[in-house]
Amino acid sequence: MTDLAHIRNFSIVAHIDHGKSTLADRLIQETGTVKERDMQAQLLDSMDIERERGITIKANTVRIDYTADNGETYVLNLIDTPGHVDFAYEVSRSMRAVEGSLLVVDSSQGVEAQTLANVYHAMEADHEIVPVLNKIDLPASDCDRVAEQIEDVIGIDASGAIQVSAKTGQGIHETLEAIVHELPAPTGTRDAPLKAMLVDSWYDSYLGVIVLVRIMDGVLKKGERIKMLSNGSVHHVDRIGVFRPEMQVIDELGPGEIGFLTASIKQVRDTRVGDTITHEKKGTTDALPGFKPAQPVVFCGLFPVDSAEFEDLRDAIEKLALNDASFSYEMETSAALGFGFRCGFLGLLHLEVIRDRIEREYDIELITTAPSVVYHIYMRDGTMTELHNPADMPDLTHVDHLEEPRIKATILVPDEYLGDVLKLCQDRRGLQMDLTYAGSRAMAVYDLPLNEVVFDFYDRLKSVTKGYASFDYQMTGYREDNLVKMSVLVNDEPVDALSMMVHRDRAEARGRAMVEKLKDLIPRHMFKIPIQAAIGGKVIARETLSAMRKDVTAKCYGGDATRKRKLLDKQKKGKKKMRQFGKVDIPQEAFISALKMDS
Amino acid sequence: MAEDWKNGGFGLYVHWPFCQAKCPYCDFNSHVAREIDETVWIRAYLSEIERVAGETPDRLLNSIFFGGGTPSLMHPDTVAAVIEAARLHWTFANDIEITLEANPGSAEAGRFLGYRDAGVNRVSMGFQAMNDADLKRLGRIHSVNDALSAFDVARSCFDRVSFDLIYARQDQTLQAWESELEKALNLSVDHLSLYQLTVEDGTAFGDRYAAGKLRGLPDDDRAADMYLLTQDICDSYDMPAYEISNHARLGTESRHNLIYWKYGDYAGIGPGAHGRLTLNGKRFATECPKLPAAWIERTSAGNGESVRTQVSPSEQSEEYIMMGLRLAEGLDIDRYTQLSGKPLPNDKLIYLQDLGMVSLSGATMKATRKGQPVLNAIIRELLAD
C-alpha cells in the first residue's frame, strides 16, 4: 500500500483526435510500465469499436510507477474516461474518483465543444487542471493563440501550459513532473469504515464482473464481504488488483488507491456506476453523493432482418445487457417488422455502438426503427405516463398535454459557417441562449428539443460546416409543446414502424418528405399504392406509386426453364428481405432511409 | 396414369453453334469459326440421336428444330443426315414439324431448296428490323432488301414461314413501330415472333448498358404501351398472340415451341442444348457443354451430355407454371396439382383474379391482357412461399 502523499490520481480531458490516447500511451511507455515490445497503439481502448471510432466507451485505468526528479517514487493512477456526452454520468463519476485532470488541447485546432463539456465535469469535481498543448510538432500549431483561447473560453490560467508532442515524445517528462507537483495528493483515513466508489464495471468471461473502485476511506482486502449501499447486496471478494495496464493481483487497496475487485458477480447489472461499496459488517452508512441509476434517453426498435434470427438477437441483446447497465430492452411486436426489441440508450452514440456490436460480434443483420425520445404524456385524469414508442400513443381524447425533453446544445464553429448553423438550429425549433466569439470561432448555445437532434442533426451539422463544427449537449428537462403523432399509411394501412412524434408546425414538411421518399423506396406492385402521412384521421401528405406496367421475359424456350427457375428462387430469397405489409412488400432499407430528412 | 410429358408431346432440338458474326444483343450459345468440318458434326449428331433414342424408344416424334447459332450455315446434306437418323430411331408423327432457323441473306436463300428436300417444312427467319439503319445498330449483316428476297424464296419453298422482329429498340417511337409492324404483317407470313429488346448480361449491349452508353431505350411505361399496341395491331390482322411474344394464324402455331410451353419432353443435342426427358417415371434436365470442341469430344467418347439432374415434382410444377402461363390458352390447374402434390393456394388465385391479372374458368387459368406484360410478377406471387 502506498502512502497518500505519494499517490496522484488524474484523468485526461480532451476532444476526439486531440491525442488523448496517444498521450496516455506515451506516459505508460516513458515510465516503463509496458515493455517496448508489448506496446500497441492506444493501449487503453480495448474494444474494436473504440479503436476504430477513436472514442472511449468504458472507463479504463492504468497504474504507473514514476520516479520523479526529486528521487521519490510516486504511484500515478490514470483513469481514461469516456469522452462522449452519452456517457456524461459515467464521466462525472470518473471525475469524482480522481483529484486532477490534464486538459489536452490540440495546439493546431483549439478548444472544441466536447472539451468544454468534460472540463466542466472536472471543474465541478474541484479538480486541479493542468493544461497541455499537444501536437506542437505540426506546422499549424499555434500555442499562444490556443493558450489565449483556453483562458477566454474556459477561464483557467494557461500561461504555464506544457507544450507536448505525444508523437515525438517532447514534453512527456515535463507532464509527468507536473502531475507530481501540481496535482494534489488524495485524502482519506485508513482507520475509517470502508468507503469506496464503484467507478465502472464490465464482464469478463473468466472472472465474472470486474469492478473498478476508488478507495475513499478504509482498506479493502481479499476475502472480505462487501455490500453495495444502493441495494444492500453482499458479495465475497475473491480478488483484488490493479491495472498496469494488464491485471496484477495485490493484497489490499488503501485510501486514495484505484484498483479492481472481483467477487463472483454474474451480471454487470448488479453493479451500478457511482454506487458506494463498504464492508458488510461495521461498514459506513454514508453514501457518496451524486449516485443515480442509469436513465435511457433515446429509444428505438431493433428487429432482425431475417425473422428466423429473432432468438439469436434475443441472445445477443441479453449478453450485451449483462455488461451494460444503462442499456434497457423489452420485447416489441410490430405488424410490419415482426418480433424484435424496443431498446433504450443513453444517447445516439450508445445506440450506434450497441447496434454495431450486435451486427458485428453476433453477425445479425438488423432493421433499426426511427430513434425516439421519451415523451411525458399528461392524461386528463392527472396521471403522467412515459411514451417510449410513438406506436403506443394513447387516444388523444384522454390526453391533456405532452412534454418533450429539451437539451442545451453547445456548438463551436468557424464564423464563416455560423449562418448555416444558426439556420439549422432555427429549423430544428431551437431557441438561442448565447452567442459569443473566441478569435475566429463562434460559440452558439441553443435550447433545442431532443427529438429534433436524434434523427440526423449531427450529420446535417457536419455537412453544413464541412466538418468544422463541434457539438455537445446536455439534457435540461421537459417542456410542453404542440406535439402530434404522425402515422404513415401504405395502401391505406398504417405502418407502425414508420410512425413518429413531430411538432405540429413541422408535420406537413416532414410528412411530405416522408411520402416522397417512400415512393422512391417501395418497388412498383401489380396495383397502384397510395402512400399517405396522417395526423389522426387527417391526411397531410399523399403520393401515389403507380402500378407496375412491365415485367415479363420476352424469350422463354427449352433452355430457359432451368435458368428461370433459379432466378425465381433468387427472387424468393430477395422477397424474404422485404417486409410484407398487407399486399405490399416494403424493402427493409425503406425503414431507415425514409426517416433521414434532407432538410 | 399417363406420364405428364405426354400433355406436351416430344420434340428434338438440334443446336448448331456457329454464326458468321456475333450480334451485340444475343446471349445464345454462338461462336464464330473459320473452318468447320461438317463430317465431324454429322457423326456427333448421329451418335447423340442414337444415344437419346436408346433411352426413349417407341416415342412419337412431334417436331425437330434446328436452332443456333445460324443453322442456315449448315450444308443441306448435314440437315438431311440428322433428319434421316431421327426418322430411323423414332416414329415421326404424321404432321411432324421440322423447323430450321435461317438468316435472311442471299447465300442462305440458295440453300432453301436443299433444306426442303432434306425434309425441312418450316423456316424461321431472323429479320429483326424492317429498316436498314436499325439493322446496322443491331449488328445485323443483312439488309431489308436481302430479307425480303430471302422471304420470297422461302415462301416458294416452304408451306410455313415465320420471322422474328425485335422492338422497343433504341429511340423507337410508337408510330415507327406501328408502321414497321404493319409492313411485316402485310407480307404473306403465317407466324411472327415479336420480341421486346432485352439487354442481357454478358453481351456487347449488356456491357454498353452497364457503362451507361446504351441510350434511348424505352422506360417500362412506354415498353408496356408498345406491347399493348402490338397486341391490338396483330389482332386486327388475325395474327393473335398465342404466347407472350409469338403470333400466328389459327393452326400455324409453332408446334415445337408449344412442346416447351406445354411442358412436354424434348431431347436437346448440340453444344449448350438443354433437354427434359422423362425416364422410368422421373423427369431429368439435361445439358450439354457450351464449347463446340468440348461437346464434340464428349460425343466421341459416347455421351454429349455434361449435366443430368432430376427435376423434383415441385420444381416441375414451377416450370409448368412459368411455361404454361405464357400461353394464351392458359394452363391446367389440375395438372399443376398433380405435379406438385398440392393445389395452388386459392386465396392467391382469387387475389390475382380480383386484380384482373388472371382469368379462371373451370380448371383453366390464363393471364389476361393486363396480366401478360407483368407475367413475372404474377408467377412470383403464385409461387412465393
Side-chain angles (χ1 to χ4, degrees):
Chain A
M1 191 168 62
T2 316
D3 68 292
L4 289 166
H6 287 88
I7 299 175
R8 298 292 181 273
N9 298 319
F10 69 104
S11 71
I12 302 178
V13 170
H15 186 71
I16 295 169
D17 293 338
H18 282 200
K20 180 172 75 166
S21 299
T22 319
L23 179 66
D25 287 355
R26 279 287 168 183
L27 297 175
I28 293 167
Q29 210 178 1
E30 177 85 11
T31 54
T33 307
V34 173
K35 292 198 183 67
E36 198 76 37
R37 64 184 158 83
D38 295 330
M39 274 304 284
Q40 55 169 323
Q42 299 177 10
L43 278 170
L44 295 183
D45 289 343
S46 50
M47 268 192 268
D48 284 349
I49 292 173
E50 292 185 327
R51 287 218 179 92
E52 265 168 44
R53 295 181 174 229
I55 52 168
T56 305
I57 296 164
K58 302 299 286 183
N60 288 291
T61 180
V62 62
R63 176 169 168 152
I64 302 167
D65 292 333
Y66 174 62
T67 305
D69 290 352
N70 64 12
E72 295 188 35
T73 300
Y74 293 83
V75 169
L76 313 183
N77 288 306
L78 162 61
I79 292 188
D80 188 20
T81 62
H84 193 275
V85 58
D86 283 7
F87 309 103
Y89 172 70
E90 283 74 5
V91 177
S92 74
R93 295 306 90 193
S94 296
M95 292 292 186
R96 294 280 173 183
V98 297
E99 285 76 30
S101 289
L102 301 181
L103 167 62
V104 178
V105 180
D106 183 334
S107 63
S108 68
Q109 304 266 338
V111 175
E112 300 289 353
Q114 201 182 60
T115 326
L116 279 182
N118 285 331
V119 89
Y120 291 145
H121 282 301
M123 287 158 105
E124 272 172 39
D126 288 329
H127 279 192
E128 197 62 48
I129 296 170
V130 174
V132 172
L133 304 177
N134 194 17
K135 304 198 184 180
I136 57 167
D137 54 299
L138 293 180
S141 164
D142 185 348
C143 290
D144 293 343
R145 182 183 64 83
V146 173
E148 199 181 316
Q149 196 198 16
I150 291 173
E151 295 188 352
D152 285 353
V153 177
I154 301 173
I156 60 169
D157 178 13
S159 57
I162 308 168
Q163 303 192 0
V164 169
S165 166
K167 198 172 148 200
T168 67
Q170 191 184 344
I172 297 297
H173 180 73
E174 290 80 349
T175 307
L176 287 163
E177 286 293 312
I179 292 167
V180 168
H181 298 295
E182 291 182 34
L183 301 188
T187 56
T189 311
R190 193 177 161 81
D191 301 331
L194 177 67
K195 187 192 269 188
M197 182 201 279
L198 197 160
V199 181
D200 204 351
S201 60
W202 57 92
Y203 187 78
D204 180 284
S205 45
Y206 296 105
L207 305 175
V209 175
I210 297 173
V211 179
L212 182 64
V213 292
R214 156 71 197 265
I215 310 294
M216 299 301 182
D217 286 313
V219 179
L220 176 67
K221 291 179 184 158
K222 180 184 168 181
E224 292 177 336
R225 290 177 69 80
I226 52 161
K227 184 166 78 174
M228 306 287 184
L229 275 193
S230 71
N231 58 13
S233 65
V234 173
H235 305 275
H236 177 88
V237 177
D238 51 32
R239 195 179 280 98
I240 282 177
V242 293
F243 293 99
R244 290 181 162 278
E246 80 286 356
M247 292 173 124
Q248 185 181 71
V249 172
I250 60 170
D251 295 333
E252 59 170 50
L253 286 169
E257 291 194 296
I258 293 171
F260 70 86
L261 67 85
T262 63
S264 304
I265 303 172
K266 299 276 185 305
Q267 298 189 19
V268 172
R269 265 181 196 279
D270 299 335
T271 59
R272 308 271 181 83
V273 171
D275 202 353
T276 305
I277 300 174
T278 189
H279 286 131
E280 183 191 11
K281 288 182 181 141
K282 293 183 186 165
T284 181
T285 52
D286 181 18
L288 292 158
F291 169 73
K292 61 177 187 195
Q295 201 59 257
V297 170
V298 176
F299 285 78
C300 78
L302 297 179
F303 294 84
V305 165
D306 179 353
S307 52
E309 289 188 328
F310 172 74
E311 286 303 326
D312 297 334
L313 176 61
R314 182 205 294 276
D315 192 44
I317 283 180
E318 280 174 356
K319 282 199 180 119
L320 287 173
L322 283 183
N323 201 8
D324 188 344
S326 53
F327 164 51
S328 70
Y329 65 94
E330 59 189 29
M331 216 182 113
E332 181 181 3
T333 316
S334 154
L337 304 175
F339 291 109
F341 293 92
R342 190 83 190 161
C343 301
F345 306 92
L346 296 174
L348 280 182
L349 177 76
H350 190 211
L351 185 163
E352 281 174 30
V353 166
I354 297 273
R355 189 189 60 201
D356 280 8
R357 290 188 64 185
I358 293 172
E359 294 203 318
R360 215 182 287 194
E361 293 170 27
Y362 297 89
D363 199 23
I364 300 169
E365 243 188 297
L366 291 176
I367 296 176
T368 316
T369 64
S372 166
V373 301
V374 178
Y375 296 92
H376 288 172
I377 307 176
Y378 290 86
M379 310 300 282
R380 292 210 194 279
D381 63 9
T383 57
M384 188 276 274
T385 53
E386 287 191 350
L387 181 71
H388 293 177
N389 185 348
D392 300 334
M393 180 72 189
D395 192 305
L396 277 178
T397 53
H398 302 302
V399 174
D400 186 70
H401 70 280
L402 267 77
E403 289 185 357
E404 65 175 337
R406 310 275 306 190
I407 58 163
K408 178 183 158 194
T410 305
I411 300 164
L412 276 166
V413 63
D415 50 13
E416 70 231 69
Y417 302 113
L418 182 64
D420 294 323
V421 170
L422 297 187
K423 181 171 183 306
L424 177 66
C425 291
Q426 226 65 51
D427 286 349
R428 300 295 172 105
R429 298 191 283 131
L431 303 170
Q432 198 180 82
M433 295 166 73
D434 198 9
L435 180 62
T436 52
Y437 286 87
S440 62
R441 287 165 73 83
M443 182 171 82
V445 181
Y446 265 85
D447 172 18
L448 276 158
L450 182 62
N451 91 335
E452 297 286 345
V453 173
V454 291
F455 287 111
D456 57 347
F457 181 83
Y458 195 40
D459 290 341
R460 294 291 307 153
L461 182 68
K462 277 192 287 192
S463 109
V464 300
T465 63
K466 301 196 166 61
Y468 282 111
S470 62
F471 164 67
D472 209 329
Y473 69 87
Q474 61 195 85
M475 300 281 297
T476 49
Y478 275 76
R479 205 167 70 204
E480 182 181 348
D481 217 325
N482 188 3
L483 298 158
V484 291
K485 175 183 162 186
M486 184 175 89
S487 356
V488 174
L489 295 92
V490 175
N491 205 27
D492 298 323
E493 295 203 43
V495 180
D496 54 359
L498 290 173
S499 61
M500 59 161 83
M501 301 297 298
V502 288
H503 191 268
R504 185 63 191 84
D505 295 347
R506 302 250 294 146
E508 270 82 8
R510 263 275 162 78
R512 207 159 38 242
M514 171 80 97
V515 297
E516 280 168 16
K517 268 250 167 81
L518 283 172
K519 190 185 167 194
D520 291 337
L521 290 164
I522 300 174
R524 283 185 175 194
H525 283 57
M526 283 184 279
F527 44 90
K528 68 171 192 249
I529 301 170
I531 304 169
Q532 297 155 304
I535 297 170
K538 185 177 171 240
V539 174
I540 54 169
R542 182 194 166 102
E543 285 282 340
T544 303
L545 176 63
S546 50
M548 168 200 297
R549 295 278 322 273
K550 190 179 158 271
D551 183 2
V552 62
T553 309
K555 285 189 181 189
C556 191
Y557 296 97
D560 299 308
T562 309
R563 198 166 61 120
K564 269 207 90 179
R565 181 156 45 77
K566 284 180 180 160
L567 184 70
L568 185 79
D569 283 344
K570 218 166 96 183
Q571 286 167 338
K572 278 190 201 166
K573 287 202 184 87
K575 202 175 155 80
K576 277 198 179 140
K577 290 208 159 188
M578 310 263 246
R579 294 291 156 157
Q580 206 169 34
F581 215 80
K583 277 289 167 193
V584 180
D585 291 321
I586 304 180
Q588 53 186 322
E589 65 263 24
F591 292 96
I592 303 160
S593 307
L595 297 159
K596 289 217 164 126
M597 295 297 141
D598 292 326
S599 59
Chain B
M1 195 192 314
E3 288 181 317
D4 180 76
W5 67 270
K6 290 187 176 163
N7 291 298
F10 178 57
L12 170 67
Y13 176 79
V14 180
H15 192 81
W16 176 261
F18 301 108
C19 286
Q20 276 178 305
K22 186 110 183 130
C23 298
Y25 54 85
C26 174
D27 73 333
F28 281 38
N29 186 31
S30 63
H31 303 264
V32 178
R34 206 171 299 164
E35 265 179 62
I36 300 154
D37 181 353
E38 292 199 32
T39 58
V40 171
W41 286 82
I42 291 174
R43 207 181 306 135
Y45 286 134
L46 265 46
S47 86
E48 282 292 272
I49 288 169
E50 192 178 338
R51 177 182 61 81
V52 182
E55 295 190 288
T56 52
D58 310 322
R59 286 213 188 182
L60 197 66
L61 190 64
N62 298 106
S63 157
I64 302 174
F65 194 100
F66 291 89
T70 309
S72 56
L73 295 175
M74 292 167 96
H75 194 281
D77 291 350
T78 307
V79 175
V82 170
I83 294 171
E84 272 319 298
R87 195 195 309 271
L88 197 70
H89 287 94
W90 288 294
T91 309
F92 275 15
N94 286 334
D95 58 350
I96 188 167
E97 173 188 278
I98 303 179
T99 307
L100 185 133
E101 283 184 337
N103 189 53
S106 48
E108 285 86 352
R111 288 192 282 271
F112 282 178
L113 219 49
Y115 294 142
R116 187 191 67 184
D117 292 345
V120 172
N121 54 25
R122 181 174 180 269
V123 285
S124 170
M125 305 173 81
F127 269 38
Q128 317 309 8
M130 300 292 279
N131 74 71
D132 286 341
D134 278 2
L135 281 173
K136 285 216 173 72
R137 267 180 129 168
L138 291 171
R140 302 296 300 188
I141 46 182
H142 67 267
S143 68
V144 174
N145 277 335
D146 290 343
L148 293 174
S149 325
F151 179 77
D152 284 342
V153 179
R155 268 274 64 122
S156 66
C157 296
F158 304 101
D159 287 344
R160 297 170 57 200
V161 179
S162 171
F163 61 82
D164 299 357
L165 290 176
I166 294 174
Y167 71 107
R169 303 190 298 254
Q170 290 171 271
D171 302 320
Q172 190 179 34
T173 62
L174 270 173
Q175 291 75 11
W177 168 236
E178 182 173 359
S179 69
E180 197 171 337
L181 180 58
E182 288 189 333
K183 206 155 138 195
L185 287 162
N186 283 320
L187 297 171
S188 55
V189 65
D190 55 51
H191 185 283
L192 275 177
S193 299
L194 305 172
Y195 302 113
Q196 291 214 344
L197 176 63
T198 308
V199 179
E200 303 281 2
D201 288 343
T203 64
F205 269 17
D207 294 345
R208 279 170 67 191
Y209 184 77
K213 288 179 180 164
L214 199 68
R215 298 203 181 87
L217 291 173
D219 61 16
D220 283 357
D221 285 321
R222 203 167 97 225
D225 290 342
M226 285 180 132
Y227 183 83
L228 294 177
L229 176 75
T230 303
Q231 308 313 306
D232 289 345
I233 295 172
C234 289
D235 284 354
S236 71
Y237 278 79
D238 266 341
M239 292 274 281
Y242 69 98
E243 190 260 1
I244 293 291
S245 302
N246 283 277
H247 298 256
R249 275 182 224 297
L250 202 64
T252 60
E253 298 86 0
S254 161
R255 258 164 259 168
H256 188 82
N257 291 336
L258 281 173
I259 293 173
Y260 300 142
W261 299 320
K262 290 188 169 184
Y263 204 41
D265 261 8
Y266 44 99
I269 65 171
H274 288 245
R276 285 289 180 280
L277 291 175
T278 306
L279 306 170
N280 301 318
K282 290 176 182 151
R283 205 166 209 155
F284 294 91
T286 69
E287 220 176 302
C288 296
K290 283 191 152 190
L291 280 180
W295 180 72
I296 291 285
E297 199 183 307
R298 274 188 172 273
T299 56
S300 56
N303 188 346
E305 264 175 47
S306 54
V307 179
R308 177 176 284 204
T309 42
Q310 198 186 328
V311 187
S312 73
S314 80
E315 287 169 339
Q316 287 181 50
S317 69
E318 291 188 345
E319 293 189 342
Y320 176 52
I321 292 263
M322 291 186 298
M323 295 312 226
L325 263 190
R326 298 182 67 85
L327 289 172
E329 65 173 67
L331 58 71
D332 177 355
I333 297 176
D334 291 342
R335 192 178 157 199
Y336 171 90
T337 309
Q338 255 172 21
L339 276 172
S340 97
K342 56 175 199 287
L344 282 164
N346 204 46
D347 55 333
K348 284 188 176 174
L349 296 180
I350 301 297
Y351 169 64
L352 288 167
Q353 188 182 39
D354 288 348
L355 282 176
M357 295 292 156
V358 301
S359 67
L360 301 167
S361 155
T364 302
M365 168 168 53
K366 298 176 191 174
T368 60
R369 174 130 319 167
K370 187 179 167 192
Q372 282 162 357
V374 294
L375 188 64
N376 289 348
I378 296 175
I379 293 168
R380 280 198 297 274
E381 180 68 30
L382 282 171
L383 298 181
D385 303 324

